[in-house]
Amino acid sequence: MEKKEVVLTGYGVLCPLGIDQNEIFEALCAGKSGIGYLESIPTTLADRPIGGEVPDFHAKDYVKPRKNIKVMSRDIQMAFVSAAKGCEQAGLITEGEQRNVDPERFGVLYGCDLIGTDLDELKDAFKAGIEGENYDFSTWGEAAMGKIMPLWMLKYLPNMPACHIGIALDARGPNNTSTMERGSCLEAMTEAVKVLERGDADVMISGSCGNKINPTVLARSRSYNSDPWDKRSLDSPRPFDADRELSVLSEGAGSFVLETEEFALARGAKPLAKIRACARTMAPDKEKIAQKDSIARALALLLKESGLKPEEIGHVNADGVGTVHDDAVEAAAIREVLGDVPVFSSKGYLGNAGSGTGAVELAISLMILDKGIIPPVKNCSRIAEDCPINVVVGSPREIQKKTFIKINHTNAGRAFAMLLEKY
């Protein structure tokens, strides 16, 4: 069976720089940061924690019917809205007589990770177990459970973004979820591409969401090499910079409409990009976290599958976490396989949204592809000696080539990469 070509026809994105594509790109080119003091976390302390939060986002403005919001965490809400925006841009009609996709040939493959709990929902349950100055855990089953909303769990399962999107769009085809930390988006999209290539669907919604600024996640910030109370965080992350040290946590989501080229053209859609190659690799040596060889092998696989040479790649949208080890191994892999290709990272503007990171960053590279301009990497003022790559710094850079590579990797040594070309 001949492999079908896959194209991207629309996308929606929510990030700390906004929810409108043009506004986000203008902010990037202007050097505006989405990192600041978090307003969404109530605190009695004089200082607020630092991170990146999506501004002016109110789910009730987008989610219909509104009653569904009560079983949607903020992560799910962002995923839902980004999917709706993606379908709108793609001209995909999913209901009524004008519907232009068969529900049975329409699926969802989405990326998500652990979803933090809204603490207010558990407040009464925990109060029920307080005896004087102590907590009586034996009361949890009888006294506390009755004070928790019966549908509480549905707000926090990682598979629920894909479920809500599938239900809303009446997508009855393949539906699954990837939980691969920062690699969640590219893992989910790769699986969606494979579904389309073998002809098991005509259209797939894919992408990812993540919210690392939820208090229950932020409390474990040291696990992400982040300190939300450190004033240095306002000038972090510093991707590939000589003075890089801290990561900064944030939130965001992005959804992409993927279709077989044949189906997209038949319904009159105008593809934005073609998926040229996908790669997933793993570093078998568990003692070398985020191992360079894993990333290098993923990049080499992209070139082999696409038939392109390094000099034909317009830019690399790197993970660029802004920590000492991660940036060094990623830079070494890029240099080894791709040489002097221009490198961009958005984390200096947007921080690390965990499982939502890859989707937001991929969306930004689609903007770069459309505008022909790479914004400078924010907070990178002096490229580190252990990052010998062509980082775009100082001012925006015009590009002529119509291809780019997106990379994400995880602390467990997994690497994910995708190569796209402007249609």
Side-chain angles (χ1 to χ4, degrees):
M1 182 176 64
E2 185 178 354
K3 186 175 73 173
K4 295 180 179 290
E5 298 292 338
V6 178
V7 296
L8 189 155
T9 55
Y11 64 99
V13 59
L14 290 77
C15 72
L17 287 178
I19 60 177
D20 177 81
Q21 293 178 19
N22 290 326
E23 290 180 3
I24 292 170
F25 194 76
E26 288 174 4
L28 289 168
C29 290
K32 181 180 178 181
S33 175
I35 305 300
Y37 294 102
L38 297 175
E39 298 296 329
S40 60
I41 298 180
T43 177
T44 57
L45 300 176
D47 292 332
R48 286 189 170 275
I50 293 166
E53 55 192 338
V54 177
D56 302 321
F57 171 61
H58 307 286
K60 64 181 181 180
D61 295 337
Y62 302 93
V63 179
K64 303 291 186 293
R66 288 186 181 180
K67 66 180 182 179
N68 289 349
I69 295 175
K70 70 180 181 181
V71 289
M72 288 184 175
S73 67
R74 186 169 172 88
D75 313 51
I76 299 171
Q77 293 169 18
M78 292 189 294
F80 187 95
V81 172
S82 68
K85 286 177 169 289
C87 289
E88 182 180 2
Q89 185 181 34
L92 198 65
I93 304 172
T94 62
E95 59 184 2
E97 295 182 359
Q98 301 301 314
R99 182 177 187 126
N100 55 10
V101 56
D102 180 355
E104 309 291 338
R105 303 280 301 165
F106 185 21
V108 183
L109 270 161
Y110 218 76
C112 188
D113 217 320
L114 295 176
I115 297 178
T117 300
D118 291 334
L119 295 178
D120 282 346
E121 292 189 343
L122 297 179
K123 181 171 61 178
D124 291 338
F126 278 104
K127 282 183 176 179
I130 297 176
E131 296 286 346
E133 296 182 355
N134 299 312
Y135 192 88
D136 183 0
F137 286 95
S138 68
T139 65
W140 179 258
E142 183 176 350
M145 292 299 288
K147 297 183 179 297
I148 298 176
M149 180 181 72
L151 300 179
W152 172 83
M153 182 65 75
L154 294 181
K155 292 185 67 173
Y156 305 108
L157 295 173
N159 65 309
M160 292 312 294
C163 290
H164 279 287
I165 293 170
I167 292 169
L169 301 180
D170 193 20
R172 307 177 197 173
N175 189 295
N176 211 338
T177 299
S178 168
T179 56
M180 292 287 182
E181 299 177 342
R182 296 193 307 273
S184 296
C185 175
L186 294 186
E187 168 68 13
M189 287 187 69
T190 296
E191 285 298 318
V193 168
K194 299 306 179 185
V195 168
L196 293 167
E197 286 180 341
R198 61 178 180 258
D200 288 347
D202 296 322
V203 181
M204 296 292 293
I205 302 295
S206 193
S208 65
C209 61
N211 176 9
K212 290 295 186 186
I213 59 171
N214 178 287
T216 62
V217 180
L218 208 63
R220 301 190 298 273
S221 59
R222 295 296 178 89
S223 300
Y224 306 100
N225 294 312
S226 172
D227 183 355
W229 304 96
D230 194 318
K231 293 294 189 295
R232 292 174 297 171
S233 295
L234 287 172
D235 295 319
S236 297
R238 305 185 68 82
F240 307 113
D241 188 75
D243 297 321
R244 69 188 187 279
E245 183 177 0
L246 297 172
S247 180
V248 175
L249 301 181
S250 63
E251 64 176 356
S255 297
F256 308 89
V257 179
L258 304 177
E259 311 181 41
T260 64
E261 183 179 39
E262 178 184 19
F263 182 82
L265 296 179
R267 73 174 182 85
K270 296 181 179 180
L272 304 176
K274 177 178 285 190
I275 313 297
R276 291 292 302 268
C278 309
R280 298 168 288 185
T281 56
M282 173 67 185
D285 187 347
K286 296 181 180 179
E287 306 224 343
K288 295 182 179 178
I289 300 175
Q291 196 176 46
K292 181 210 73 171
D293 290 347
S294 180
I295 303 170
R297 283 188 287 113
L299 295 175
L301 285 170
L302 291 185
L303 297 181
K304 181 179 180 180
E305 183 178 335
S306 67
L308 296 178
K309 299 177 181 178
E311 56 269 25
E312 296 178 279
I313 306 302
H315 76 276
V316 170
N317 189 322
D319 215 339
V321 183
T323 57
V324 175
H325 177 75
D326 289 300
D327 285 9
V329 295
E330 185 177 23
I334 293 171
R335 168 56 65 181
E336 178 182 302
V337 180
L338 301 176
D340 204 42
V341 62
V343 176
F344 173 76
S345 169
S346 65
K347 285 191 174 65
Y349 296 92
L350 306 173
N352 174 13
S355 53
T357 286
V360 171
E361 294 169 348
L362 180 60
I364 289 173
S365 270
L366 289 170
M367 300 175 199
I368 291 172
L369 208 60
D370 178 53
K371 306 294 184 181
I373 298 173
I374 307 176
V377 175
K378 190 169 182 60
N379 298 330
C380 184
S381 55
R382 185 164 58 97
I383 301 173
E385 292 183 2
D386 61 354
C387 297
I389 51 175
N390 183 12
V391 183
V392 178
V393 295
S395 59
R397 186 184 303 182
E398 292 187 4
I399 55 171
Q400 301 298 324
K401 300 182 179 72
K402 304 301 182 182
T403 59
F404 74 87
I405 287 174
K406 177 73 199 92
I407 305 171
N408 285 112
H409 54 92
T410 76
N411 292 338
R414 297 183 181 91
F416 307 86
M418 183 172 286
L419 196 163
L420 292 86
E421 180 177 18
K422 188 173 184 179
Y423 199 83

